[in-house]
Amino acid sequence: MFMLGLETAKILKHSKDIDKALNDICQQVLTLDKVVFSCFYKTSAIADQSITTTEKPQKFNRGYVKAFASRNPEFLIDAKTVNKLLNKSKAWQQIEPVVYETYLIMPLRLENIQQTSDCSWGWWVVQLNCEWTQCMVREYHQIAMQVEMKLQFDYSQHQLQQQVQEAEQAYNTLYHWTEQYRHLIEQVPSVSYVSPLAKDGKFDLAYISPQIQDLLGVSYNHQLLKNWQDYVYPADRPMVYQKLQQTLETGEDFNCEYRMLRHDGSIIWVSDTAQIGVATDQKTMVLRGSVHDISDRKKAEAQLIAAKITESTNQSKSKFLAFMSHEIRTPMNTVIGMTDILLNTPLSPQQQKYVNTIRQGGEILLSIVNNILDFSRIESGNLILEKKPFILKECMEQVLAVMRPRAAQKSLKLHYSQSLQVPHQIIGDYGRLRQILINLVSNAIKFTSHGEISIKINAQKINADGKYKLLFAVEDTGIGIAPEAISQIFQSFSQADSSINRQYGGTGLGLAICKQLCELMEGEIGVSSQLGKGTTFYFSIVTTESKTTDISQLVHYDQEQPSTPILATTLGEHYPLKILVVEDHPVNREILLLMLEKMGYHADSVNDGIYALEALQQTSYDLVFMDLQMPIMDGLLATDRIRHSSYLQPWIIGLSANAFEESREMALQVGMNDYLTKPLQMETLIESVRKLPQLAEGLKARKLINSIAPSANLLPVLDASIFNTLLDSIGFDHISSLISSFIELSAITIANMQEAIQTGDLQTLEAQNHSLKGGSGTFGATKLHNVCQELQRICFHCRKSQICSKEDMDTMYELVELIAMEFQLLTQVVRHSIYQSSSA
C-alpha cells in the first residue's frame, strides 16, 4: 500500500488530464492481489443549480461512472449499479468512508461548490475478495484524500480561469467607457468647426472656434474659413480628401490624423473628428467636428518606436555576442585546456616557451572576448553592480599579487599606499573595482619599460552616514601620451595613435569599459601625461563604509594560491571523490578528464543528460560536471530532474561557453552549486573543487556531522550532539539506511506541502509539516525543525482564529520555500557525509 500511495501521488502530480489520472489509479489498484474492481463515480448534482444545498433527496440516482477497472475483463459496472449500491449502503448520506459488505465507498468532497447532497463531487468504490480491516480502510482513505486534493486543485484552477475571464470582460467594459471619457476630455481645448454639406461636395467652413489662433499661430479672421485646406500639409491633402469623401458618401464618422503647417512654418500633428448632423434650422445637413494638437503623442510614439528598434537591436546584438562567445570559447577551451595539460608534463625549455606563447595568445583572445561582452552589457544597461562589504586592503593585495609577476618580467617595481582617511571596509562591487585597477595597472606595465608603477588611494568623506568618495591614482614612468590623443583615449575601440596599436596591440576597449564602470559607481576617470616621462590615470568611486563586525558577512578572497603542479598531484589523494563528467563535445570531455587526472581523479563520463540520470541511478557520485548545452537533454533539465529525484544529491558544477550572467543565474536557479565558464583553466578548476563541503579538514568516519565545513556556513544544518547520540545508539549501518528513507519520504512530504499551500489546503499543510518536523528533530536537523515549528505556529493560529490573512498566507508560502531549500542543503550535507564515512 505504501508503494500504491507513492504511485498515486506520482500519477496525480504529473497528469494534466484528470480522467486519465483516475483511470490510471483504478488500474494501479488492481495490482494489489485482493482487489476485485475499482471505480470513480461522479455525481451530476453539482451542475444542478435548481436544488438547494439543504434539500435531502429520498434516494440517490444522479451520476455516471468516470473511471473503472476490473480484474474480470467481462465485468462492467454502470451508473445504475453504483446508484443501487449507494442507496443500499446509505453511503450518499455519509461524509466518511463506508464499508458495505466487500465494498469500500469513499466520498470525494470539494469546497466552494453548490451541492445537492453531502458528497459534492462523487465517490471512489473499491471491492475486495475479503473483509476490510481498519488499517486497509485508513490507507485507502489516505489515497482518496490525495485524489480530493487534485480534484480541488483542478476545480480551483477552473474557477480562477472563470474569474480571469470575468475580470477581462469587466476591464474591457471599463476600458470602453474610459476611452469615451478620454475622448470627451481631449475635445475640450480643441478647435471646433461647422461646415455645410453642399450638393457639389465642396467643403467650406461656416464656423471655426477662436482656439485656431493657438493651434496655427494665426490671427482669427473669416478668411480662414475659406483657406483651411491651405494649412493642411501638402503630402497629407489627398488622404484627408479621400476620407472626407468616404464620410459624405457613407454617412460614417470622419476620423483622421494628419499634419498641418503653422504660420511660422513648423509642422504639427492634429486629430480631426467629425459627424454628419442637422443644423439649427433643422434643414441643412452639416459636418460638425473638432481638431486638437496631438504632436506630443506622435513624438512619444516615435520615441517609443525608436526605443523598440533600439531594444530589438540590442537584443539581436546580445544574442549575436552570446552565440559568438559560445562559438569562440568552445575551441579556446581546447587550446587553453591542452596548454594547461602540456605545461604540467616534462618539456624542454624550447617546448615550454612554445606552449607558453600559445597559452598567452589564448588568454589575450579570451580577454578580448570578455571585454566585448562587458562593453555590450554596459551599453545595453544589463550590467548590475554588486553591493557587498569587503576589505579594501584585500582587494589591493590581490591586484598586486596578480600583476607583480608581469611587472617582474620587465624589472618594474609595483606598490601601493593609502591615506589614513580611507575606510577599512567598504560596500561595493569587489570584482568590478578589481577589474578597473587591473586594467589600469596592466596598461601601465605594457607602456613602461623601466622604473615603477604606484597606486595611491585617498578618501573624501561625503556625509556623516559613512558615505565616501574614494580617489585612486595609478602612476607610471612609461612612454606617456601625446596631448592631442588624450581626448580620444576613453573612446571605444580607440588607441592613442595607430603606431601604439601596431607596437603594443589591444582593442582600445579596456579604458572605455573602465570609464563606464566608474560612472556606474557614481565616479569619474581622467588622465594626465607627459611624453617620455610617464602617465597618471586617476579615477573615483562613491561608496559607503561598512560597519559590520560579522566576519561571515564579508567578502574574502584567498591570497594563498598553491601552485598547480603540487596541488594537482595531491588533491585526489587527500580528498577522494567520485566524479562524473557530462559533456557532449568529445574534445572538451577529454580535456576535462585529463585535467581531473592531473588532479588525481579518475572520473567517469557520459555525453548526454539522459545518460547522466542513468549513471546516478547506478552510482553515488560526489561531484558532477554538467555541460549546459547538450542535445536530447541539456544540463539545465538534467539538473532539475536530479534535484527533484530521490537520488542522493551530488554537488553539481555547471559548464558553459556562454559568459553572460543570465546563464549563470539559470544554472543556479535549477539547483547547480557552482558555474564555470569555458575555456577551463587548471587553477579555476582546482578552486571550484575546493569549494565542496566534504573537503573540510578533520573528517571522521563515525561522526558524520564533523564533515560539515564551518567556513561554508553549514554548521547549523545539523546538531552534532543529537546526531552523534543517535549514531552511537544504532550504529552507522542502520543510520545510513534510515537517512535514505528519511530523505525519500521527506521529499514526498515537501512536495505535498508545496501543493497544499498553492491550493490553500491548510489542513493537509499542517499535517504534512507536523510529520516533517518530527523526523527532522529525530536526526538533529535543528534548522529545518525550527522552520517547521514556525510554520506549525502560524497554521495553529489560523485554525484557532478561523481567519487566515494575506500576510499569514504570504509568510507560510515563504516558510514552505525555505523548508524546501533547507531540506536540499541538508540532503547534500548528509549525502557527502555518508560517502566519506563509508569510504573511511
Side-chain angles (χ1 to χ4, degrees), residues 353-419:
K353 180 180 178 181
Y354 292 160
V355 176
N356 274 320
T357 301
I358 296 172
R359 179 187 173 94
Q360 289 172 6
E363 289 177 344
I364 291 172
L365 180 57
L366 180 61
S367 175
I368 292 172
V369 172
N370 288 338
N371 280 341
I372 293 174
L373 290 176
D374 273 348
F375 184 77
S376 175
R377 289 193 192 101
I378 298 172
E379 193 178 48
S380 62
N382 291 327
L383 183 68
I384 300 176
L385 297 177
E386 288 187 345
K387 291 186 178 181
K388 295 182 179 180
F390 65 90
I391 298 174
L392 183 60
K393 182 180 179 182
E394 290 186 0
C395 179
M396 299 306 304
E397 288 177 349
Q398 191 179 51
V399 170
L400 296 181
V402 171
M403 302 309 299
R404 267 182 180 141
R406 292 181 56 184
Q409 290 177 354
K410 302 178 72 172
S411 300
L412 301 174
K413 295 181 180 179
L414 177 61
H415 55 86
Y416 93 97
S417 61
Q418 67 181 47
S419 67

Side-chain angles (χ1 to χ4, degrees), residues 501-632:
N501 186 44
R502 289 194 299 271
Q503 181 177 356
Y504 295 97
T507 62
L509 268 180
L511 291 177
I513 293 173
C514 288
K515 180 177 184 297
Q516 292 169 322
L517 289 175
C518 289
E519 291 172 353
L520 286 174
M521 297 181 187
E522 302 179 62
E524 56 188 4
I525 190 170
V527 61
S528 61
S529 181
Q530 286 184 302
L531 282 174
K533 293 186 177 181
T535 302
T536 299
F537 280 91
Y538 50 87
F539 71 93
S540 62
I541 65 171
V542 175
T543 184
T544 304
E545 183 178 14
S546 174
K547 301 292 187 178
T548 179
T549 58
D550 185 358
I551 194 170
S552 66
Q553 296 180 14
L554 289 172
V555 179
H556 289 281
Y557 295 84
D558 188 7
Q559 299 296 319
E560 298 181 5
Q561 300 288 343
S563 62
T564 299
I566 296 176
L567 186 55
T569 59
T570 60
L571 192 62
E573 297 176 4
H574 290 294
Y575 307 114
L577 299 172
K578 292 182 180 179
I579 301 177
L580 176 66
V581 173
V582 188
E583 167 69 73
D584 67 308
H585 196 288
V587 177
N588 289 343
R589 185 169 62 248
E590 184 64 24
I591 289 174
L592 181 51
L593 290 172
L594 289 172
M595 295 174 78
L596 290 171
E597 186 175 334
K598 285 292 180 182
M599 295 163 59
Y601 296 109
H602 297 283
D604 298 331
S605 67
V606 294
N607 61 1
D608 181 70
I610 292 178
Y611 294 130
L613 297 179
E614 294 176 355
L616 285 167
Q617 285 182 325
Q618 300 171 4
T619 305
S620 298
Y621 288 101
D622 302 284
L623 171 61
V624 175
F625 287 97
M626 183 75 74
D627 186 32
L628 267 66
Q629 292 86 16
M630 293 183 293
I632 305 178

Side-chain angles (χ1 to χ4, degrees), residues 3-67:
M3 293 304 299
L4 177 60
L6 291 179
E7 287 299 321
T8 301
K10 186 184 299 182
I11 290 171
L12 293 173
K13 182 177 181 181
H14 297 290
S15 177
K16 295 182 179 179
D17 185 355
I18 187 60
D19 291 347
K20 183 178 182 304
L22 296 179
N23 275 297
D24 289 345
I25 293 171
C26 286
Q27 293 294 336
Q28 191 67 35
V29 170
L30 290 183
T31 60
L32 302 179
D33 293 336
K34 297 179 181 180
V35 176
V36 176
F37 85 89
S38 169
C39 78
F40 286 92
Y41 178 89
K42 182 179 179 181
T43 174
S44 59
I46 295 175
D48 188 356
Q49 302 296 330
S50 63
I51 305 176
T52 64
T53 57
T54 58
E55 192 173 348
K56 295 288 186 178
Q58 297 301 316
K59 64 178 182 178
F60 194 89
N61 59 4
R62 295 184 300 276
Y64 61 96
V65 176
K66 196 171 184 64

Side-chain angles (χ1 to χ4, degrees), residues 305-315:
I305 293 173
K308 288 183 177 179
I309 293 174
T310 302
E311 182 182 2
S312 177
T313 303
N314 287 336
Q315 288 177 351

Side-chain angles (χ1 to χ4, degrees), residues 425-436:
Q425 295 173 188
I426 62 174
I427 298 175
D429 194 319
Y430 178 101
R432 294 302 177 182
L433 176 59
R434 176 180 176 272
Q435 181 179 354
I436 296 173

Side-chain angles (χ1 to χ4, degrees), residues 245-366:
Q245 287 298 118
Q246 182 179 351
T247 296
L248 296 177
E249 293 172 1
T250 64
E252 296 177 351
D253 290 351
F254 175 74
N255 293 286
C256 188
E257 293 181 355
Y258 53 91
R259 290 167 290 181
M260 296 193 74
L261 291 168
R262 286 175 54 86
H263 184 67
D264 59 5
S266 60
I267 300 174
I268 62 172
W269 275 94
V270 298
S271 175
D272 190 344
T273 60
Q275 301 83 31
I276 295 177
V278 182
T280 54
D281 62 5
Q282 301 300 314
K283 295 180 181 180
T284 307
M285 300 300 294
V286 296
L287 189 70
R288 290 190 181 92
S290 62
V291 178
H292 65 277
D293 190 343
I294 59 170
S295 300
D296 290 340
R297 195 195 83 195
K298 285 292 184 179
K299 182 179 179 180
E301 289 175 353
Q303 291 174 343
L304 181 60
I305 293 173
K308 288 183 177 179
I309 293 174
T310 302
E311 182 182 2
S312 177
T313 303
N314 287 336
Q315 288 177 351
S316 299
K317 183 170 65 176
S318 297
K319 290 179 181 178
F320 172 76
L321 288 173
F323 173 77
M324 291 305 299
S325 170
H326 185 275
E327 294 302 307
I328 294 173
R329 286 173 178 274
T330 298
M332 284 175 61
N333 186 54
T334 303
V335 174
I336 295 180
M338 290 304 295
T339 54
D340 270 345
I341 295 171
L342 279 173
L343 287 172
N344 286 284
T345 60
L347 298 173
S348 66
Q350 188 177 30
Q351 290 172 329
Q352 188 90 15
K353 180 180 178 181
Y354 292 160
V355 176
N356 274 320
T357 301
I358 296 172
R359 179 187 173 94
Q360 289 172 6
E363 289 177 344
I364 291 172
L365 180 57
L366 180 61

Side-chain angles (χ1 to χ4, degrees), residues 692-708:
L692 270 68
Q694 73 271 26
L695 298 187
E697 293 293 338
L699 293 172
K700 296 182 181 179
R702 292 186 69 251
K703 304 295 182 181
L704 305 186
I705 188 61
N706 291 339
S707 68
I708 305 169

